[in-house]
Amino acid sequence: MAEQTLNIPQLVVFLLVSYFAIRWYLKPSSGDAQPAGGRRAPTVTAAQVDQLAQMFPQFDRRQIAWDLTRNGGNMAATTERVLSGSGLETPPASFTAPPSQSASARPTPTNAPKPSQPDLITRYNLASKLNSTSENSSEAPQKTKTWSQDKNERQAMLQRRREEMILTARRKMEEKQKAKS
Amino acid sequence: MSASKRLFKEYKALCSDPPEGITAGPVSEDDMYLWEALIQGPDGTPFEGGVFPAELKFPRDYPLAPPSMRFLVDVWHPNVYPDGRVCISILHAPGDDPNMYEHASERWSPIQSVEKILISVMSMLAEPNDESPANVDAARMWRERRGEYEKIVRDNVRKSLGLE
């Protein structure tokens, strides 16, 4: 019995010692591989920062990268922090965020499907009036009556003002394009 | 004063003394709660030369509650949702402040008017508010790639006038 009770603590000590020995043996190799200063940097990738920056455009990429760096690249933690309203800290001046990938890698979202709207000429049925714009141009500057007691007349005047505004804009743009080419 | 009476008064004022670059009024006087406005793009901005139609929908308790506004052409702008809805503080009632940044004075109150909304939207076109992006992609582009942003705006202006 006495021998046995001695053996168990010995075994425990042996296991502990070998555990630490192995740990000590393995650790330096990984520690050497990373320079001390940049040890935390690799945990934060540009993709992570990009994704969060897209979700929270009100924050600077550096702020996002800084928060990620500090929590070990945990995107959920940063998201939660922003949503809880506590905001993100301003990183120290020496801190640099991983460069954005979006400029080159991601296609611009502008080509994404958007409901295409009809142009103004179509919308207001102005195609037939496009050629008569020269007459309108002389009329446009003078302020005509803009209010009437008659409902229909009022409506017609508003309609005319709308059309004039569009036709004038179109004429000006046409002239500008001609001047350019 | 009932909502439609007040709207009629505003309509009359807007017609008699229209602000520069703005035309607005009910689509039909049979329904004073639906308006259509035309806003000219401010000079010196990529919106210059454009005319932007928008629809304004008034609630029955106007002017206690603000109208909603939606552009009827493509407007690529940080504060305009992709479906055209305009996100600007003057269109938010004092009680609801989704973004927690607006001052009460900028928000809707019965002393505001359609004219003030339209003038605010016009200056919003010139100066986007980066704090409340309704169109995140446009906001990013406006911040990071201004040239590209301006090109899209200009292309949209030409397209909306039926010129390619």
PDB file of all heavy atoms in Angstrom, chain A residues 133-170:
ATOM      1  N   THR A 133     -38.262  73.517 -78.989  1.00  0.00           N
ATOM      2  CA  THR A 133     -37.658  74.150 -77.818  1.00  0.00           C
ATOM      3  C   THR A 133     -37.128  75.543 -78.118  1.00  0.00           C
ATOM      4  O   THR A 133     -37.053  76.377 -77.234  1.00  0.00           O
ATOM      5  CB  THR A 133     -36.493  73.313 -77.264  1.00  0.00           C
ATOM      6  OG1 THR A 133     -35.676  72.938 -78.349  1.00  0.00           O
ATOM      7  CG2 THR A 133     -36.991  72.122 -76.496  1.00  0.00           C
ATOM      8  N   SER A 134     -36.767  75.777 -79.368  1.00  0.00           N
ATOM      9  CA  SER A 134     -36.212  77.086 -79.686  1.00  0.00           C
ATOM     10  C   SER A 134     -37.237  78.188 -79.409  1.00  0.00           C
ATOM     11  O   SER A 134     -36.886  79.284 -78.989  1.00  0.00           O
ATOM     12  CB  SER A 134     -35.757  77.125 -81.141  1.00  0.00           C
ATOM     13  OG  SER A 134     -36.790  76.605 -81.949  1.00  0.00           O
ATOM     14  N   GLU A 135     -38.508  77.877 -79.657  1.00  0.00           N
ATOM     15  CA  GLU A 135     -39.545  78.883 -79.374  1.00  0.00           C
ATOM     16  C   GLU A 135     -39.639  79.107 -77.863  1.00  0.00           C
ATOM     17  O   GLU A 135     -39.749  80.239 -77.408  1.00  0.00           O
ATOM     18  CB  GLU A 135     -40.911  78.410 -79.889  1.00  0.00           C
ATOM     19  CG  GLU A 135     -40.958  78.251 -81.395  1.00  0.00           C
ATOM     20  CD  GLU A 135     -42.106  77.342 -81.812  1.00  0.00           C
ATOM     21  OE1 GLU A 135     -43.145  77.376 -81.130  1.00  0.00           O
ATOM     22  OE2 GLU A 135     -41.941  76.607 -82.797  1.00  0.00           O
ATOM     23  N   ASN A 136     -39.595  77.992 -77.140  1.00  0.00           N
ATOM     24  CA  ASN A 136     -39.729  78.101 -75.688  1.00  0.00           C
ATOM     25  C   ASN A 136     -38.620  78.943 -75.073  1.00  0.00           C
ATOM     26  O   ASN A 136     -38.843  79.645 -74.109  1.00  0.00           O
ATOM     27  CB  ASN A 136     -39.705  76.718 -75.041  1.00  0.00           C
ATOM     28  CG  ASN A 136     -41.024  76.005 -75.247  1.00  0.00           C
ATOM     29  OD1 ASN A 136     -41.931  76.587 -75.843  1.00  0.00           O
ATOM     30  ND2 ASN A 136     -41.114  74.782 -74.776  1.00  0.00           N
ATOM     31  N   SER A 137     -37.446  78.830 -75.661  1.00  0.00           N
ATOM     32  CA  SER A 137     -36.308  79.492 -75.045  1.00  0.00           C
ATOM     33  C   SER A 137     -36.528  80.995 -74.953  1.00  0.00           C
ATOM     34  O   SER A 137     -36.075  81.631 -74.013  1.00  0.00           O
ATOM     35  CB  SER A 137     -35.038  79.196 -75.828  1.00  0.00           C
ATOM     36  OG  SER A 137     -35.145  79.750 -77.117  1.00  0.00           O
ATOM     37  N   SER A 138     -37.232  81.550 -75.946  1.00  0.00           N
ATOM     38  CA  SER A 138     -37.461  82.987 -75.892  1.00  0.00           C
ATOM     39  C   SER A 138     -38.534  83.319 -74.857  1.00  0.00           C
ATOM     40  O   SER A 138     -38.542  84.401 -74.280  1.00  0.00           O
ATOM     41  CB  SER A 138     -37.871  83.509 -77.274  1.00  0.00           C
ATOM     42  OG  SER A 138     -38.967  82.750 -77.742  1.00  0.00           O
ATOM     43  N   GLU A 139     -39.425  82.379 -74.639  1.00  0.00           N
ATOM     44  CA  GLU A 139     -40.496  82.638 -73.675  1.00  0.00           C
ATOM     45  C   GLU A 139     -40.027  82.464 -72.243  1.00  0.00           C
ATOM     46  O   GLU A 139     -40.512  83.138 -71.349  1.00  0.00           O
ATOM     47  CB  GLU A 139     -41.663  81.654 -73.897  1.00  0.00           C
ATOM     48  CG  GLU A 139     -42.487  81.967 -75.140  1.00  0.00           C
ATOM     49  CD  GLU A 139     -43.461  80.836 -75.425  1.00  0.00           C
ATOM     50  OE1 GLU A 139     -43.784  80.087 -74.474  1.00  0.00           O
ATOM     51  OE2 GLU A 139     -43.866  80.700 -76.580  1.00  0.00           O
ATOM     52  N   ALA A 140     -39.103  81.532 -72.065  1.00  0.00           N
ATOM     53  CA  ALA A 140     -38.740  81.121 -70.711  1.00  0.00           C
ATOM     54  C   ALA A 140     -38.387  82.262 -69.748  1.00  0.00           C
ATOM     55  O   ALA A 140     -38.859  82.259 -68.613  1.00  0.00           O
ATOM     56  CB  ALA A 140     -37.606  80.115 -70.763  1.00  0.00           C
ATOM     57  N   PRO A 141     -37.558  83.206 -70.179  1.00  0.00           N
ATOM     58  CA  PRO A 141     -37.107  84.184 -69.192  1.00  0.00           C
ATOM     59  C   PRO A 141     -38.230  85.034 -68.596  1.00  0.00           C
ATOM     60  O   PRO A 141     -38.183  85.371 -67.429  1.00  0.00           O
ATOM     61  CB  PRO A 141     -36.138  85.064 -69.994  1.00  0.00           C
ATOM     62  CG  PRO A 141     -35.781  84.260 -71.192  1.00  0.00           C
ATOM     63  CD  PRO A 141     -36.985  83.445 -71.491  1.00  0.00           C
ATOM     64  N   GLN A 142     -39.209  85.392 -69.403  1.00  0.00           N
ATOM     65  CA  GLN A 142     -40.229  86.291 -68.861  1.00  0.00           C
ATOM     66  C   GLN A 142     -41.150  85.537 -67.889  1.00  0.00           C
ATOM     67  O   GLN A 142     -41.628  84.450 -68.163  1.00  0.00           O
ATOM     68  CB  GLN A 142     -41.033  86.933 -69.990  1.00  0.00           C
ATOM     69  CG  GLN A 142     -41.488  85.941 -71.048  1.00  0.00           C
ATOM     70  CD  GLN A 142     -42.443  86.572 -72.047  1.00  0.00           C
ATOM     71  OE1 GLN A 142     -43.593  86.810 -71.748  1.00  0.00           O
ATOM     72  NE2 GLN A 142     -41.937  86.832 -73.239  1.00  0.00           N
ATOM     73  N   LYS A 143     -41.365  86.164 -66.748  1.00  0.00           N
ATOM     74  CA  LYS A 143     -42.216  85.558 -65.724  1.00  0.00           C
ATOM     75  C   LYS A 143     -43.681  85.730 -66.133  1.00  0.00           C
ATOM     76  O   LYS A 143     -44.196  86.836 -66.217  1.00  0.00           O
ATOM     77  CB  LYS A 143     -41.984  86.249 -64.377  1.00  0.00           C
ATOM     78  CG  LYS A 143     -40.663  85.864 -63.760  1.00  0.00           C
ATOM     79  CD  LYS A 143     -40.883  84.817 -62.682  1.00  0.00           C
ATOM     80  CE  LYS A 143     -39.527  84.356 -62.143  1.00  0.00           C
ATOM     81  NZ  LYS A 143     -39.665  83.245 -61.214  1.00  0.00           N
ATOM     82  N   THR A 144     -44.312  84.597 -66.386  1.00  0.00           N
ATOM     83  CA  THR A 144     -45.728  84.671 -66.723  1.00  0.00           C
ATOM     84  C   THR A 144     -46.539  84.455 -65.460  1.00  0.00           C
ATOM     85  O   THR A 144     -46.009  84.152 -64.413  1.00  0.00           O
ATOM     86  CB  THR A 144     -46.078  83.592 -67.768  1.00  0.00           C
ATOM     87  OG1 THR A 144     -45.438  82.391 -67.385  1.00  0.00           O
ATOM     88  CG2 THR A 144     -45.633  84.008 -69.150  1.00  0.00           C
ATOM     89  N   LYS A 145     -47.819  84.608 -65.617  1.00  0.00           N
ATOM     90  CA  LYS A 145     -48.705  84.422 -64.470  1.00  0.00           C
ATOM     91  C   LYS A 145     -48.592  82.978 -63.987  1.00  0.00           C
ATOM     92  O   LYS A 145     -48.534  82.046 -64.788  1.00  0.00           O
ATOM     93  CB  LYS A 145     -50.147  84.715 -64.902  1.00  0.00           C
ATOM     94  CG  LYS A 145     -51.014  85.193 -63.747  1.00  0.00           C
ATOM     95  CD  LYS A 145     -52.388  85.635 -64.270  1.00  0.00           C
ATOM     96  CE  LYS A 145     -53.218  84.431 -64.651  1.00  0.00           C
ATOM     97  NZ  LYS A 145     -54.666  84.655 -64.667  1.00  0.00           N
ATOM     98  N   THR A 146     -48.504  82.757 -62.689  1.00  0.00           N
ATOM     99  CA  THR A 146     -48.300  81.397 -62.203  1.00  0.00           C
ATOM    100  C   THR A 146     -49.430  80.900 -61.317  1.00  0.00           C
ATOM    101  O   THR A 146     -49.389  79.790 -60.831  1.00  0.00           O
ATOM    102  CB  THR A 146     -46.989  81.298 -61.404  1.00  0.00           C
ATOM    103  OG1 THR A 146     -46.999  82.353 -60.442  1.00  0.00           O
ATOM    104  CG2 THR A 146     -45.780  81.413 -62.293  1.00  0.00           C
ATOM    105  N   TRP A 147     -50.422  81.727 -61.076  1.00  0.00           N
ATOM    106  CA  TRP A 147     -51.523  81.268 -60.236  1.00  0.00           C
ATOM    107  C   TRP A 147     -52.834  81.743 -60.830  1.00  0.00           C
ATOM    108  O   TRP A 147     -52.923  82.843 -61.368  1.00  0.00           O
ATOM    109  CB  TRP A 147     -51.385  81.796 -58.808  1.00  0.00           C
ATOM    110  CG  TRP A 147     -52.397  81.201 -57.879  1.00  0.00           C
ATOM    111  CD1 TRP A 147     -53.516  81.813 -57.388  1.00  0.00           C
ATOM    112  CD2 TRP A 147     -52.411  79.879 -57.347  1.00  0.00           C
ATOM    113  NE1 TRP A 147     -54.210  80.946 -56.583  1.00  0.00           N
ATOM    114  CE2 TRP A 147     -53.563  79.756 -56.538  1.00  0.00           C
ATOM    115  CE3 TRP A 147     -51.561  78.781 -57.489  1.00  0.00           C
ATOM    116  CZ2 TRP A 147     -53.895  78.580 -55.859  1.00  0.00           C
ATOM    117  CZ3 TRP A 147     -51.881  77.615 -56.811  1.00  0.00           C
ATOM    118  CH2 TRP A 147     -53.033  77.525 -56.007  1.00  0.00           C
ATOM    119  N   SER A 148     -53.826  80.877 -60.751  1.00  0.00           N
ATOM    120  CA  SER A 148     -55.132  81.235 -61.303  1.00  0.00           C
ATOM    121  C   SER A 148     -56.213  80.776 -60.346  1.00  0.00           C
ATOM    122  O   SER A 148     -56.007  79.830 -59.575  1.00  0.00           O
ATOM    123  CB  SER A 148     -55.295  80.570 -62.669  1.00  0.00           C
ATOM    124  OG  SER A 148     -56.665  80.514 -62.981  1.00  0.00           O
ATOM    125  N   GLN A 149     -57.341  81.432 -60.405  1.00  0.00           N
ATOM    126  CA  GLN A 149     -58.456  81.003 -59.553  1.00  0.00           C
ATOM    127  C   GLN A 149     -59.081  79.729 -60.112  1.00  0.00           C
ATOM    128  O   GLN A 149     -59.726  78.985 -59.401  1.00  0.00           O
ATOM    129  CB  GLN A 149     -59.531  82.102 -59.466  1.00  0.00           C
ATOM    130  CG  GLN A 149     -59.062  83.341 -58.716  1.00  0.00           C
ATOM    131  CD  GLN A 149     -58.550  83.006 -57.314  1.00  0.00           C
ATOM    132  OE1 GLN A 149     -59.138  82.202 -56.595  1.00  0.00           O
ATOM    133  NE2 GLN A 149     -57.441  83.618 -56.924  1.00  0.00           N
ATOM    134  N   ASP A 150     -58.845  79.497 -61.383  1.00  0.00           N
ATOM    135  CA  ASP A 150     -59.462  78.330 -62.017  1.00  0.00           C
ATOM    136  C   ASP A 150     -58.577  77.092 -61.852  1.00  0.00           C
ATOM    137  O   ASP A 150     -57.392  77.116 -62.169  1.00  0.00           O
ATOM    138  CB  ASP A 150     -59.678  78.614 -63.506  1.00  0.00           C
ATOM    139  CG  ASP A 150     -60.323  77.432 -64.193  1.00  0.00           C
ATOM    140  OD1 ASP A 150     -61.467  77.093 -63.841  1.00  0.00           O
ATOM    141  OD2 ASP A 150     -59.646  76.813 -65.063  1.00  0.00           O
ATOM    142  N   LYS A 151     -59.192  76.047 -61.357  1.00  0.00           N
ATOM    143  CA  LYS A 151     -58.462  74.823 -61.044  1.00  0.00           C
ATOM    144  C   LYS A 151     -57.753  74.238 -62.270  1.00  0.00           C
ATOM    145  O   LYS A 151     -56.560  73.896 -62.215  1.00  0.00           O
ATOM    146  CB  LYS A 151     -59.464  73.820 -60.473  1.00  0.00           C
ATOM    147  CG  LYS A 151     -58.867  72.528 -60.016  1.00  0.00           C
ATOM    148  CD  LYS A 151     -59.965  71.654 -59.406  1.00  0.00           C
ATOM    149  CE  LYS A 151     -59.594  70.194 -59.519  1.00  0.00           C
ATOM    150  NZ  LYS A 151     -60.681  69.322 -59.032  1.00  0.00           N
ATOM    151  N   ASN A 152     -58.459  74.160 -63.356  1.00  0.00           N
ATOM    152  CA  ASN A 152     -57.868  73.543 -64.545  1.00  0.00           C
ATOM    153  C   ASN A 152     -56.738  74.389 -65.110  1.00  0.00           C
ATOM    154  O   ASN A 152     -55.727  73.866 -65.576  1.00  0.00           O
ATOM    155  CB  ASN A 152     -58.938  73.312 -65.615  1.00  0.00           C
ATOM    156  CG  ASN A 152     -59.928  72.259 -65.161  1.00  0.00           C
ATOM    157  OD1 ASN A 152     -59.576  71.315 -64.468  1.00  0.00           O
ATOM    158  ND2 ASN A 152     -61.195  72.451 -65.536  1.00  0.00           N
ATOM    159  N   GLU A 153     -56.961  75.692 -65.032  1.00  0.00           N
ATOM    160  CA  GLU A 153     -55.930  76.583 -65.552  1.00  0.00           C
ATOM    161  C   GLU A 153     -54.653  76.453 -64.710  1.00  0.00           C
ATOM    162  O   GLU A 153     -53.552  76.412 -65.246  1.00  0.00           O
ATOM    163  CB  GLU A 153     -56.446  78.029 -65.509  1.00  0.00           C
ATOM    164  CG  GLU A 153     -55.794  78.928 -66.558  1.00  0.00           C
ATOM    165  CD  GLU A 153     -56.342  80.345 -66.466  1.00  0.00           C
ATOM    166  OE1 GLU A 153     -57.560  80.471 -66.158  1.00  0.00           O
ATOM    167  OE2 GLU A 153     -55.570  81.289 -66.655  1.00  0.00           O
ATOM    168  N   ARG A 154     -54.861  76.387 -63.396  1.00  0.00           N
ATOM    169  CA  ARG A 154     -53.721  76.196 -62.476  1.00  0.00           C
ATOM    170  C   ARG A 154     -52.946  74.938 -62.841  1.00  0.00           C
ATOM    171  O   ARG A 154     -51.735  74.932 -62.939  1.00  0.00           O
ATOM    172  CB  ARG A 154     -54.234  76.016 -61.040  1.00  0.00           C
ATOM    173  CG  ARG A 154     -54.588  77.244 -60.325  1.00  0.00           C
ATOM    174  CD  ARG A 154     -54.565  76.988 -58.832  1.00  0.00           C
ATOM    175  NE  ARG A 154     -55.569  76.037 -58.381  1.00  0.00           N
ATOM    176  CZ  ARG A 154     -56.780  76.359 -57.938  1.00  0.00           C
ATOM    177  NH1 ARG A 154     -57.154  77.620 -57.909  1.00  0.00           N
ATOM    178  NH2 ARG A 154     -57.627  75.444 -57.510  1.00  0.00           N
ATOM    179  N   GLN A 155     -53.714  73.867 -63.020  1.00  0.00           N
ATOM    180  CA  GLN A 155     -53.092  72.576 -63.324  1.00  0.00           C
ATOM    181  C   GLN A 155     -52.280  72.667 -64.622  1.00  0.00           C
ATOM    182  O   GLN A 155     -51.157  72.175 -64.707  1.00  0.00           O
ATOM    183  CB  GLN A 155     -54.199  71.518 -63.467  1.00  0.00           C
ATOM    184  CG  GLN A 155     -53.708  70.089 -63.423  1.00  0.00           C
ATOM    185  CD  GLN A 155     -53.302  69.663 -62.005  1.00  0.00           C
ATOM    186  OE1 GLN A 155     -54.031  69.900 -61.057  1.00  0.00           O
ATOM    187  NE2 GLN A 155     -52.134  69.071 -61.884  1.00  0.00           N
ATOM    188  N   ALA A 156     -52.860  73.346 -65.580  1.00  0.00           N
ATOM    189  CA  ALA A 156     -52.183  73.470 -66.874  1.00  0.00           C
ATOM    190  C   ALA A 156     -50.909  74.301 -66.738  1.00  0.00           C
ATOM    191  O   ALA A 156     -49.893  74.008 -67.364  1.00  0.00           O
ATOM    192  CB  ALA A 156     -53.130  74.105 -67.891  1.00  0.00           C
ATOM    193  N   MET A 157     -50.993  75.331 -65.900  1.00  0.00           N
ATOM    194  CA  MET A 157     -49.804  76.179 -65.721  1.00  0.00           C
ATOM    195  C   MET A 157     -48.682  75.424 -65.040  1.00  0.00           C
ATOM    196  O   MET A 157     -47.517  75.566 -65.409  1.00  0.00           O
ATOM    197  CB  MET A 157     -50.179  77.422 -64.894  1.00  0.00           C
ATOM    198  CG  MET A 157     -50.899  78.452 -65.725  1.00  0.00           C
ATOM    199  SD  MET A 157     -51.015  80.045 -64.899  1.00  0.00           S
ATOM    200  CE  MET A 157     -52.194  79.695 -63.655  1.00  0.00           C
ATOM    201  N   LEU A 158     -49.054  74.626 -64.047  1.00  0.00           N
ATOM    202  CA  LEU A 158     -48.040  73.820 -63.347  1.00  0.00           C
ATOM    203  C   LEU A 158     -47.392  72.850 -64.333  1.00  0.00           C
ATOM    204  O   LEU A 158     -46.174  72.686 -64.369  1.00  0.00           O
ATOM    205  CB  LEU A 158     -48.693  73.058 -62.192  1.00  0.00           C
ATOM    206  CG  LEU A 158     -47.766  72.150 -61.382  1.00  0.00           C
ATOM    207  CD1 LEU A 158     -46.711  72.965 -60.658  1.00  0.00           C
ATOM    208  CD2 LEU A 158     -48.564  71.338 -60.361  1.00  0.00           C
ATOM    209  N   GLN A 159     -48.257  72.246 -65.141  1.00  0.00           N
ATOM    210  CA  GLN A 159     -47.777  71.303 -66.149  1.00  0.00           C
ATOM    211  C   GLN A 159     -46.783  71.980 -67.090  1.00  0.00           C
ATOM    212  O   GLN A 159     -45.732  71.426 -67.393  1.00  0.00           O
ATOM    213  CB  GLN A 159     -48.998  70.776 -66.937  1.00  0.00           C
ATOM    214  CG  GLN A 159     -48.681  69.673 -67.925  1.00  0.00           C
ATOM    215  CD  GLN A 159     -48.123  68.439 -67.225  1.00  0.00           C
ATOM    216  OE1 GLN A 159     -48.452  68.180 -66.062  1.00  0.00           O
ATOM    217  NE2 GLN A 159     -47.271  67.713 -67.905  1.00  0.00           N
ATOM    218  N   ARG A 160     -47.134  73.206 -67.502  1.00  0.00           N
ATOM    219  CA  ARG A 160     -46.261  73.907 -68.438  1.00  0.00           C
ATOM    220  C   ARG A 160     -44.923  74.251 -67.781  1.00  0.00           C
ATOM    221  O   ARG A 160     -43.873  74.150 -68.410  1.00  0.00           O
ATOM    222  CB  ARG A 160     -46.970  75.186 -68.922  1.00  0.00           C
ATOM    223  CG  ARG A 160     -46.489  75.614 -70.298  1.00  0.00           C
ATOM    224  CD  ARG A 160     -47.374  76.649 -70.945  1.00  0.00           C
ATOM    225  NE  ARG A 160     -47.716  77.734 -70.053  1.00  0.00           N
ATOM    226  CZ  ARG A 160     -48.965  78.103 -69.753  1.00  0.00           C
ATOM    227  NH1 ARG A 160     -49.987  77.446 -70.260  1.00  0.00           N
ATOM    228  NH2 ARG A 160     -49.198  79.122 -68.939  1.00  0.00           N
ATOM    229  N   ARG A 161     -44.994  74.646 -66.525  1.00  0.00           N
ATOM    230  CA  ARG A 161     -43.739  74.971 -65.835  1.00  0.00           C
ATOM    231  C   ARG A 161     -42.836  73.751 -65.733  1.00  0.00           C
ATOM    232  O   ARG A 161     -41.618  73.838 -65.910  1.00  0.00           O
ATOM    233  CB  ARG A 161     -44.035  75.529 -64.436  1.00  0.00           C
ATOM    234  CG  ARG A 161     -44.432  76.987 -64.462  1.00  0.00           C
ATOM    235  CD  ARG A 161     -44.824  77.473 -63.078  1.00  0.00           C
ATOM    236  NE  ARG A 161     -43.766  77.257 -62.095  1.00  0.00           N
ATOM    237  CZ  ARG A 161     -43.990  76.991 -60.809  1.00  0.00           C
ATOM    238  NH1 ARG A 161     -45.220  76.873 -60.368  1.00  0.00           N
ATOM    239  NH2 ARG A 161     -42.994  76.823 -59.980  1.00  0.00           N
ATOM    240  N   ARG A 162     -43.449  72.606 -65.449  1.00  0.00           N
ATOM    241  CA  ARG A 162     -42.657  71.366 -65.377  1.00  0.00           C
ATOM    242  C   ARG A 162     -41.987  71.083 -66.724  1.00  0.00           C
ATOM    243  O   ARG A 162     -40.791  70.818 -66.788  1.00  0.00           O
ATOM    244  CB  ARG A 162     -43.567  70.184 -65.043  1.00  0.00           C
ATOM    245  CG  ARG A 162     -43.950  70.088 -63.592  1.00  0.00           C
ATOM    246  CD  ARG A 162     -44.456  68.680 -63.278  1.00  0.00           C
ATOM    247  NE  ARG A 162     -44.912  68.590 -61.897  1.00  0.00           N
ATOM    248  CZ  ARG A 162     -46.182  68.414 -61.534  1.00  0.00           C
ATOM    249  NH1 ARG A 162     -47.129  68.294 -62.429  1.00  0.00           N
ATOM    250  NH2 ARG A 162     -46.520  68.354 -60.264  1.00  0.00           N
ATOM    251  N   GLU A 163     -42.799  71.154 -67.765  1.00  0.00           N
ATOM    252  CA  GLU A 163     -42.262  70.827 -69.087  1.00  0.00           C
ATOM    253  C   GLU A 163     -41.148  71.782 -69.477  1.00  0.00           C
ATOM    254  O   GLU A 163     -40.121  71.374 -70.017  1.00  0.00           O
ATOM    255  CB  GLU A 163     -43.391  70.873 -70.128  1.00  0.00           C
ATOM    256  CG  GLU A 163     -44.392  69.748 -69.955  1.00  0.00           C
ATOM    257  CD  GLU A 163     -45.541  69.816 -70.937  1.00  0.00           C
ATOM    258  OE1 GLU A 163     -45.551  70.746 -71.777  1.00  0.00           O
ATOM    259  OE2 GLU A 163     -46.424  68.941 -70.856  1.00  0.00           O
ATOM    260  N   GLU A 164     -41.367  73.061 -69.167  1.00  0.00           N
ATOM    261  CA  GLU A 164     -40.360  74.041 -69.531  1.00  0.00           C
ATOM    262  C   GLU A 164     -39.031  73.765 -68.818  1.00  0.00           C
ATOM    263  O   GLU A 164     -37.969  73.865 -69.416  1.00  0.00           O
ATOM    264  CB  GLU A 164     -40.849  75.436 -69.140  1.00  0.00           C
ATOM    265  CG  GLU A 164     -41.062  76.329 -70.339  1.00  0.00           C
ATOM    266  CD  GLU A 164     -41.939  77.514 -69.980  1.00  0.00           C
ATOM    267  OE1 GLU A 164     -41.616  78.186 -68.979  1.00  0.00           O
ATOM    268  OE2 GLU A 164     -42.933  77.745 -70.680  1.00  0.00           O
ATOM    269  N   MET A 165     -39.161  73.405 -67.551  1.00  0.00           N
ATOM    270  CA  MET A 165     -37.962  73.145 -66.755  1.00  0.00           C
ATOM    271  C   MET A 165     -37.160  72.002 -67.380  1.00  0.00           C
ATOM    272  O   MET A 165     -35.936  72.079 -67.502  1.00  0.00           O
ATOM    273  CB  MET A 165     -38.404  72.782 -65.337  1.00  0.00           C
ATOM    274  CG  MET A 165     -37.361  72.968 -64.290  1.00  0.00           C
ATOM    275  SD  MET A 165     -38.124  72.849 -62.664  1.00  0.00           S
ATOM    276  CE  MET A 165     -36.698  72.415 -61.697  1.00  0.00           C
ATOM    277  N   ILE A 166     -37.861  70.952 -67.770  1.00  0.00           N
ATOM    278  CA  ILE A 166     -37.177  69.791 -68.338  1.00  0.00           C
ATOM    279  C   ILE A 166     -36.606  70.115 -69.713  1.00  0.00           C
ATOM    280  O   ILE A 166     -35.447  69.798 -70.004  1.00  0.00           O
ATOM    281  CB  ILE A 166     -38.147  68.594 -68.424  1.00  0.00           C
ATOM    282  CG1 ILE A 166     -38.525  68.154 -67.000  1.00  0.00           C
ATOM    283  CG2 ILE A 166     -37.530  67.444 -69.202  1.00  0.00           C
ATOM    284  CD1 ILE A 166     -39.728  67.264 -66.938  1.00  0.00           C
ATOM    285  N   LEU A 167     -37.421  70.774 -70.538  1.00  0.00           N
ATOM    286  CA  LEU A 167     -36.948  71.066 -71.893  1.00  0.00           C
ATOM    287  C   LEU A 167     -35.761  72.026 -71.864  1.00  0.00           C
ATOM    288  O   LEU A 167     -34.823  71.885 -72.654  1.00  0.00           O
ATOM    289  CB  LEU A 167     -38.091  71.641 -72.729  1.00  0.00           C
ATOM    290  CG  LEU A 167     -39.196  70.623 -73.071  1.00  0.00           C
ATOM    291  CD1 LEU A 167     -40.392  71.310 -73.701  1.00  0.00           C
ATOM    292  CD2 LEU A 167     -38.655  69.532 -73.996  1.00  0.00           C
ATOM    293  N   THR A 168     -35.797  72.976 -70.965  1.00  0.00           N
ATOM    294  CA  THR A 168     -34.673  73.909 -70.849  1.00  0.00           C
ATOM    295  C   THR A 168     -33.408  73.161 -70.440  1.00  0.00           C
ATOM    296  O   THR A 168     -32.332  73.374 -71.007  1.00  0.00           O
ATOM    297  CB  THR A 168     -34.990  74.997 -69.795  1.00  0.00           C
ATOM    298  OG1 THR A 168     -36.242  75.587 -70.131  1.00  0.00           O
ATOM    299  CG2 THR A 168     -33.916  76.053 -69.765  1.00  0.00           C
ATOM    300  N   ALA A 169     -33.561  72.268 -69.458  1.00  0.00           N
ATOM    301  CA  ALA A 169     -32.396  71.500 -68.998  1.00  0.00           C
ATOM    302  C   ALA A 169     -31.845  70.645 -70.128  1.00  0.00           C
ATOM    303  O   ALA A 169     -30.634  70.558 -70.333  1.00  0.00           O
ATOM    304  CB  ALA A 169     -32.790  70.622 -67.817  1.00  0.00           C
ATOM    305  N   ARG A 170     -32.752  70.037 -70.868  1.00  0.00           N
ATOM    306  CA  ARG A 170     -32.319  69.180 -71.964  1.00  0.00           C
ATOM    307  C   ARG A 170     -31.591  69.996 -73.038  1.00  0.00           C
ATOM    308  O   ARG A 170     -30.552  69.591 -73.549  1.00  0.00           O
ATOM    309  CB  ARG A 170     -33.567  68.501 -72.566  1.00  0.00           C
ATOM    310  CG  ARG A 170     -33.436  68.049 -73.987  1.00  0.00           C
ATOM    311  CD  ARG A 170     -33.280  66.573 -74.122  1.00  0.00           C
ATOM    312  NE  ARG A 170     -33.156  66.223 -75.534  1.00  0.00           N
ATOM    313  CZ  ARG A 170     -33.191  64.989 -75.985  1.00  0.00           C
ATOM    314  NH1 ARG A 170     -33.348  64.003 -75.141  1.00  0.00           N
ATOM    315  NH2 ARG A 170     -33.067  64.741 -77.261  1.00  0.00           N
TER     316      ARG A 170
END
